[in-house]
Each structure stands twice: as structure tokens, then as C-alpha cells.
Amino acid sequence: MEGISRPIKRFDFDDKMSGTALYCADVTLDGMLYAKTLRSVKARAAILSITVPPLPEGYWIVDANDIPGKNVVPIVSEDQPFFAKGAVKYIGEPILLVVGPDKQTVVDLLERIRVAYEEVRPVLSIAEAEQVRENFIFGDTPYFFAYEYAKGDLSEAAGRAVRVFEDEFETGYQEQAYLETQGIIAVYENGRVTVSGAMQCPYYIRDALIQALGWPEERVRVVQLPTGGGFGGKEEYPSLPAVHAALAAVKTGRPVQLVFDRQEDILCTTKRHPAVIRLRSHVDGNNRIIGREIDIAIDAGAYAGLSGVVLQRMMFAANGVYDVPHLKVRGKAYATNNVVSGAMRGFGGPQAAFAVEMHMENIARALRLDSFAFRQRHFLHTGDTSSTGGLFLHDIKLDEIAAEIDRISGYRNKRTVPRLKGKGKIRGIGCAFFFHGCGFTGSGEESLIKTRVRLRKCPGNTVHIFVSNTEIGQGVLTTLRKIVAQALDVPVETVKQTYPDTDDCPNSGPTVASRTIMIVGKVLLDAALDMKKRWHEKEFEIVRAYEYPGNLRWDNARFQGNAYPEYSWGANVVEVDMDPATCEVTVTGVWAVYDIGTPIDKTIVRGQIEGGIAQGLAYACMEVLTSENGMLRQTNLADYTLPTSLDFPRIEYRLIENPFSDGPFGARGVGELTLIGAAPALALAVQQAVGRGVTRLPVTPESILEMMDRDD
């Protein structure tokens, strides 16, 4: 499929490179007001009183009392209020807005508002949450969600095992650090509210507006503006500022702009979930893993949000790419008084991959086996079943991936050379294998999302695409056009697509879970093929809905069956040098091999690979985000360290040819896969260099010094 894979110029290239693209903060409307949020400074407290100074004419306060509908965000569990009322549960929780025509006056008024609190002892870590027996944050348990599933007969495997290996691993927060902060503009006119801004999921926002305002859907419109990155941070979170801005616009009758500064954005928006993952593996006399128990605990923060879905994906990924016949996996999403955790690229996969890959390495080392061969011996193959018992129907090329990653990186040869290098440096190299489930978990695509797309043939034989999937830097405005043009056999320039507008685009689902190309792209392909049959007609529309494959099954009550419609696969090798005097780690080599089916555009895929790996490496060793008494300590880009182009070497990568028969022109998902394996590969490289077990991320000079002082 070289035709579909051949790169073309992105359709959003000129506007963004020339600076003419208007992001939310660039927009000015006649009579526009500016809003800023008063946020909690307490991790857990009752609100006794709020004292507001006299407001100048033309300034307003907007709070929970201005919500005519329901003061709760519609998400998996409805527990998070749009505005706090009576109590706060985390530092940064929104209490009210100050709205007015002059930004500085708005800030001055905000600083003069006084909130009287009665503090309640907060819960500030997973360890603390596990000990809570009363005064729960949520309901009558210390956690929002508790799940488990099993495969085979673990007790039988444990009885046959001759050795047992146990490990515990810990991961921290990661900030999405998108280029553009959260930003929303709301306009109220003719009894209707229009919200536009930075977002990943327009229909999430539409549903939130309907719930808060108590209005029918025809009175609500959501429009995406050019959006400077998302990485999951603009999935569910924008529902909060969108409702805030809309309430202000309705109350004042004027357009309202709400844009976060960077410190505010880091302080109060969702992060990658911190996790503690415990693994216990049972090994038989042939050095084969025959059983495994996995316990996962994640810090959900003060509200449930998407934690249940993230936890499920982490649990389904926790056994990695390995065939272990007997499994028991448990997980809990604990309630704490930390900032709410949420969606971030990989969606639980990076935490799971780190734990299982380190564990596999540790078992091989204890058994005095070559860890590369040990992993290969346990690889999944076509016809095997997943950890949830779903049959792998399509070709799995892990052996080919392993051979290729070894060939291009020289991994196995490098593992045998002395670790000491010149100038006192110590070399280490690590290899990780991993997968990502593409699309919504289980039957979510069929039962929850119910994807619909629309194609319209217009005068001049042009075709317009209408979907709700958003362009957030990953190339959707180009790749979906390529799919439709290829199916219709027309020039790609004749296929048009704009940023989503809920007034004219059907709900094709959120831009998450590596689903846009594989799921939405396939529905668009089918719609285009329907259109091709009627091409002789002048003007008409085709509407298509997603059809859940008949060969898949899923029991959501027991977590049994096909957890995902399909998987993408990969391997990373990372080589490092460590300075034993400073414990500073320098990445000297990065290699990657992926099976993503057919790439829809090779240049866009390259961008996803390079960006994803850089983000994964930074998660592993640079991006330190810690909380003290519920307050994040790194709240700007001066102390939250992000990588630059000088921090990592050029990435060498290969793609395995393995078209997916149910994907558009053979494509699978790619965006999240590319982040998942970088962190475990780097951690394994550091572990080899240090000669001590790495048990937590990020790996910093301080943590390496602790490791070197430890007796393993």
C-alpha cells in the first residue's frame, strides 16, 4: 500500500507554520469578557464562608448557584462538581469565577476574595488510602473502583511451581505539558450557547453543557479551534472550563474567554496516574512461568474521573506480551486528596509495561538465563488467548520484531561487553517488548460510543468529511482525507475536512485510545466505498455506523473475552551512559520496531514515533512531578523538566509489514504505542549499568545514588 503510505503535505501545515492559525487565546470578540478561577488552597476542607469585595460595574461572580441543571460532570462516575459547594477535596478545585472586561482588575478582585475553611485531615498517598477505615473521601470505601479477573487455575499452577518470584514497582505523575494551555470561549445569543476552544472530545463537552444548563441539545453547540496538543489532557478535563465559560456567558450576556496560565494549568488539570504494581510469578522446573498474580493500586485523586477505565486498561496490559496460562489480576483506584488523575497518552499502558518488563528481567537474571531468550520463550502467538481469554485471531509477529530490534541495535552482543567505558562512564542497555490495545475497551465501541460518520458529495465532485475526531497535532485532518481519497480514487485535494462542529458532525467518538485511524478510518472507508457505487449522482450524503466484528466477544461483568478489537506491537532498545560520580544518565542510543499494520502516512507516523519515544524517555528519567501536603511542587516549565532535541539521540526505527485486514488499508493504531516501551527500556538500561534493581519511575540521579548505596 505504498500509495496510502506515501507522505503528503499536511493540510494544516501552512496555517500553523505561518502563525495564521488562531488558537483560543488569539481570538478577540466584540464586548468579550475575561474570566479567572478562584481555586481551593486546601486539600480537604469544609467551606464555611466566602467573602467577596464590592464588584465594580460590569464585573460578575459565577459559582455553583448559577448552575440551573446538575452540578456534576457527566463521566464514568458522576461525583465531581463543576464548582465546589460546601466543601473542597483537592488543592486547585474550582470554587467560582470572576468575570469582567479588564484582565488585571479580574485578577485583583480574585486576590481580594477570602474563603474561610474548616480543614479535614486529607489522604495524600496510595499507602495512606490503603489504611483508611472511616471518613472516606468517596462513598463507604477508600477506593472508587475495585476490579479483578482470572484466567486458568492459579492455585493449580502455584502447586506445581518450584520457584516463586515477587517484585513491587512504583510510578509517579506525568504532566501532559501540551504547547497550548486549556482555553475556552463561550458565546450566548438567541437563547443558544456556543463553546469553542482547545479540546479532544467535542461531544464530551456537549454532554457536560447539557447536564449543567439543563437544556436540550439543540441549544448547545461545541466547536473545536486549532488545538496545541492534548496527550489525553484535553479529553475529559475541558468539560470543566467549558461549562464555567458557558455559565458566565449566559449570566452576562456577553462572550467570555477563559484561558489558563501555565502554572494554573499544571496545578489543577489531570495527570498520569501514579501506580504501585506488585507481581508474583510461579515458575516450573523447566523455567517456564506457569502462573502469575498481579495487584495494582493507582492514585485516582479526589474524584473518580476516568480512573476506572484507566485501571482496566492497566490491568489488561499488566501481563505484557507474554503467554502465562494461569493468571489472577486485581486492581483498585484509590481516592486521595491529590489532584484528579486522568487520561494521558498510553492510558495505563506505560505503568504496566514498566512493571512487567522489569519483572521478566529480574526473573531471568535470578534463573541465570538470557533475558532476551527468556522473553521470546514466553511470547504470545496467533491462536493464543489474551490475559482476559480473548483469542488472538490476527498475525502476531513478535518473533520478527525481536529479531529486527536485535539486528538494528546489536542488543544481545552489547549485553556481553564490559559495562565500563572510557572516561569512567558505565554503559547499560535495555530492551522492552509491549503492545497497545487499539480502540475502546471491551465492547465499548459498540455499546457506548456507537460511532457514526457522514460523507457528503458536493458540487464540483468534492467530498466533505464530517466526524467529531479532532486534530490535536497527530495529523487527523490529513490522514482521514487520504483514506477517503484512496477509496474513491480521487485527488486528495478534492476531499475537504474542517475542525469538528457538533452542529454538523455526527458523534464518531472521542479522539482517544488509538482509535481514530483504525475505527473511525475504517467506517469512513466503508462510507467512501458506498459513495463510490453512487458516484454518478450529483449531490448526496452517506452515513455509516461502526459495526462490532462478529468474531469478537466480551463479558464486561467478568472481564472475559476480547478486551480490544485489535493490538499494535512493538519493541524498544535504549542504551545509556552513567557517570558514577554524579549518577547522571545520558541516553546514547534509541532503537524501535513496531507493527502498526499499514502506515497511512509515513511522515506522520515518524512524528508519532519520535514524539512518543521522547515523551516516554522523559517519563522515565526527567519529568519529576511530586506532591507535598496535596500541593504539586513543580508548577511551571522551569522546574518541571521537559526534554529538548539535545537530550536524546536520533532514533532508528523500523516498521514490520503486517497489514490488519479489518483496518483501513491495513492500518492499526500508532499514537499511544510509541510511548509505552521507552520507559522500561531505559530503566532496564540503567539497571544494567548500576547493577541494582530499578523499582520506581522516574529514575533520577538521586534515586540512582540511593540504589548504589543499597545492598541487593
Side-chain angles (χ1 to χ4, degrees):
M1 284 297 175
E2 179 59 32
I4 195 74
S5 299
R6 187 173 59 248
I8 66 172
K9 183 179 178 181
R10 286 178 55 146
F11 285 95
D12 55 342
F13 179 88
D14 289 338
D15 284 351
K16 290 176 179 175
M17 292 303 294
S18 66
T20 56
L22 292 179
Y23 295 83
C24 184
D26 301 322
V27 176
T28 302
L29 302 175
D30 290 341
M32 190 166 73
L33 304 176
Y34 303 95
K36 193 163 179 63
T37 312
L38 178 73
R39 300 186 178 279
S40 169
V41 296
K42 303 296 182 183
R44 189 178 187 185
I47 298 175
L48 301 179
S49 64
I50 301 174
T51 304
V52 178
L55 298 177
E57 186 177 352
Y59 289 81
W60 289 265
I61 296 294
V62 178
D63 61 17
N65 297 314
D66 295 298
I67 298 177
K70 200 174 175 183
N71 183 25
V72 63
V73 181
I75 202 71
V76 178
S77 293
E78 296 195 356
D79 66 324
Q80 182 173 6
F82 291 110
F83 282 118
K85 189 170 185 179
V88 292
K89 293 186 178 181
Y90 69 97
I91 293 173
E93 183 164 8
I95 297 173
L96 56 80
L97 296 184
V98 177
V99 185
D102 179 71
K103 292 181 181 179
Q104 188 55 54
T105 302
V106 167
V107 172
D108 292 343
L109 288 168
L110 198 73
E111 292 176 348
R112 292 167 57 196
I113 297 175
R114 297 291 177 264
V115 181
Y117 297 98
E118 182 179 0
E119 292 191 65
V120 179
R121 183 177 178 179
V123 178
L124 298 175
S125 68
I126 292 172
E128 288 183 21
E130 289 176 329
Q131 301 303 314
V132 172
R133 297 294 180 267
E134 59 183 5
N135 198 18
F136 300 110
I137 296 171
F138 172 80
D140 57 0
T141 66
Y143 47 82
F144 294 111
F145 306 99
Y147 303 128
E148 66 175 66
Y149 70 89
K151 175 184 177 181
D153 185 345
L154 184 64
S155 60
E156 186 271 337
R160 288 194 292 117
V162 298
R163 296 193 65 177
V164 177
F165 298 91
E166 296 185 71
D167 280 311
E168 179 175 306
F169 301 98
E170 182 179 354
T171 64
Y173 287 111
Q174 187 179 20
E175 162 67 23
Q176 291 87 352
Y178 27 67
L179 284 171
E180 179 197 18
T181 59
Q182 302 280 344
I184 293 289
I185 293 174
V187 177
Y188 177 63
E189 55 186 1
N190 301 321
R192 195 166 190 251
V193 70
T194 298
V195 164
S196 56
M199 63 187 72
Q200 288 182 231
C201 310
Y203 274 86
Y204 282 12
I205 292 175
R206 190 199 70 158
D207 291 345
L209 292 168
I210 290 170
Q211 177 132 310
L213 295 169
W215 293 356
E217 61 182 63
E218 58 267 20
R219 293 185 62 189
V220 172
R221 179 188 181 196
V222 180
V223 183
Q224 188 206 11
L225 295 178
T227 297
F231 307 118
K234 292 172 184 170
E235 179 178 345
E236 79 278 29
Y237 187 83
S239 293
L240 279 169
V243 165
H244 294 168
L247 292 169
V250 171
K251 185 169 186 174
T252 64
R254 293 167 63 176
V256 174
Q257 184 188 69
L258 176 58
V259 176
F260 292 8
D261 61 36
R262 182 63 67 178
Q263 185 172 28
E264 180 182 21
D265 198 290
I266 294 178
L267 173 72
C268 66
T269 61
T270 55
K271 316 288 174 232
R272 186 183 300 286
H273 288 74
V276 175
I277 302 177
R278 305 173 181 97
L279 301 98
R280 177 182 173 93
S281 290
H282 304 271
V283 178
D284 69 11
N286 295 316
N287 292 331
R288 177 84 188 187
I289 301 171
I290 56 174
R292 178 170 283 162
E293 301 167 75
I294 305 173
D295 281 282
I296 297 173
I298 63 173
D299 185 341
Y303 295 104
L306 292 176
S307 291
V309 188
V310 173
L311 177 60
Q312 289 177 26
R313 186 174 281 270
M314 199 181 302
M315 291 172 65
F316 302 155
N319 194 49
V321 299
Y322 306 110
D323 181 21
V324 177
H326 306 285
L327 286 170
K328 188 166 187 178
V329 183
R330 293 175 290 261
K332 290 181 179 178
Y334 282 97
T336 70
N337 294 111
N338 292 316
V339 65
V340 181
S341 300
M344 187 170 179
R345 190 178 192 176
F347 217 71
Q351 299 96 313
F354 166 64
V356 72
E357 288 301 287
M358 303 305 293
H359 186 55
M360 291 294 289
E361 178 79 17
N362 293 348
I363 296 173
R365 183 176 59 179
L367 294 172
R368 301 183 183 276
L369 298 174
D370 175 88
S371 64
F372 195 90
F374 183 70
R375 286 178 167 86
Q376 280 188 291
R377 187 183 177 201
H378 289 84
F379 277 168
L380 289 162
H381 296 91
T382 308
D384 288 339
T385 56
S386 69
S387 61
T388 57
L391 184 66
F392 287 108
L393 299 167
H394 302 284
D395 202 7
I396 298 174
K397 293 197 172 186
L398 281 169
D399 289 314
E400 187 175 335
I401 289 171
E404 185 66 9
I405 196 72
D406 187 36
R407 186 189 71 80
I408 66 174
S409 68
Y411 170 79
R412 298 182 84 171
N413 286 334
K414 290 176 179 178
R415 288 274 292 192
T416 64
V417 302
R419 292 187 297 134
L420 290 176
K421 283 187 63 177
K423 299 182 181 180
K425 297 292 181 68
I426 304 175
R427 177 192 291 115
I429 191 166
C431 177
F433 297 96
F434 47 93
F435 69 80
H436 184 76
C438 306
F440 258 64
T441 300
S443 57
E445 291 289 348
E446 177 187 40
S447 60
L448 297 176
I449 303 304
K450 301 179 181 178
T451 293
R452 290 188 305 119
V453 307
R454 185 165 74 247
L455 286 182
R456 179 186 298 159
K457 186 183 179 188
C458 300
N461 285 340
T462 61
V463 176
H464 285 243
I465 296 172
F466 296 95
V467 293
S468 63
N469 299 90
T470 54
E471 173 64 70
I472 51 176
Q474 83 284 36
V476 163
L477 289 177
T478 301
T479 50
L480 294 185
R481 286 191 229 197
K482 290 184 73 176
I483 290 169
V484 170
Q486 182 90 353
L488 290 171
D489 194 20
V490 299
V492 70
E493 294 78 14
T494 65
V495 180
K496 311 298 180 183
Q497 184 183 357
T498 59
Y499 290 95
D501 178 340
T502 58
D503 266 9
D504 59 28
C505 69
N507 187 356
S508 56
T511 308
V512 301
S514 295
R515 64 179 297 276
T516 299
I517 290 298
M518 195 185 85
I519 301 294
V520 180
K522 178 60 164 62
V523 183
L524 278 172
L525 170 64
D526 292 341
L529 293 175
D530 288 346
M531 177 171 281
K532 191 173 184 178
K533 297 173 185 175
R534 299 172 52 188
W535 192 250
H536 60 280
E537 300 178 31
K538 288 187 177 181
E539 298 175 31
F540 61 96
E541 287 189 348
I542 297 287
V543 176
R544 280 294 295 252
Y546 174 75
E547 297 178 9
Y548 188 67
N551 57 0
L552 301 182
R553 62 179 183 84
W554 179 248
D555 181 343
N556 199 57
R558 298 188 305 122
F559 291 162
Q560 294 295 312
N562 300 96
Y564 302 101
E566 179 57 359
Y567 299 80
S568 298
W569 310 85
N572 286 156
V573 166
V574 174
E575 190 171 25
V576 303
D577 284 350
M578 191 199 73
D579 186 330
T582 64
C583 297
E584 182 180 8
V585 171
T586 302
V587 178
T588 57
V590 182
W591 297 267
V593 177
Y594 301 109
D595 175 5
I596 60 166
T598 303
I600 296 300
D601 185 290
K602 286 184 176 179
T603 296
I604 288 175
V605 167
R606 177 181 174 181
Q608 290 291 295
I609 290 170
E610 292 179 346
I613 288 177
Q615 206 166 23
L617 292 174
Y619 175 51
C621 67
M622 295 179 67
E623 296 188 26
V624 177
L625 185 58
T626 57
S627 178
E628 184 174 346
N629 298 322
M631 169 68 81
L632 293 173
R633 298 178 64 185
Q634 298 81 18
T635 57
N636 59 63
L637 298 185
D639 53 17
Y640 184 76
T641 308
L642 295 174
T644 72
S645 59
L646 301 178
D647 286 302
F648 305 130
R650 185 179 183 87
I651 298 163
E652 185 175 350
Y653 71 91
R654 299 286 188 275
L655 299 178
I656 297 295
E657 185 175 347
N658 187 21
F660 170 47
S661 58
D662 288 336
F665 299 106
R668 295 184 176 90
V670 62
E672 291 173 285
L673 178 77
T674 59
L675 184 147
I676 290 170
L682 185 144
L684 287 164
V686 171
Q687 179 165 289
Q688 191 204 18
V690 176
R692 299 287 191 277
V694 173
T695 59
R696 69 177 186 265
L697 294 180
V699 184
T700 63
E702 294 82 2
S703 66
I704 292 173
L705 183 60
E706 292 177 13
M707 282 187 274
M708 295 180 74
D709 290 339
R710 188 179 70 209
D711 291 328
D712 276 6

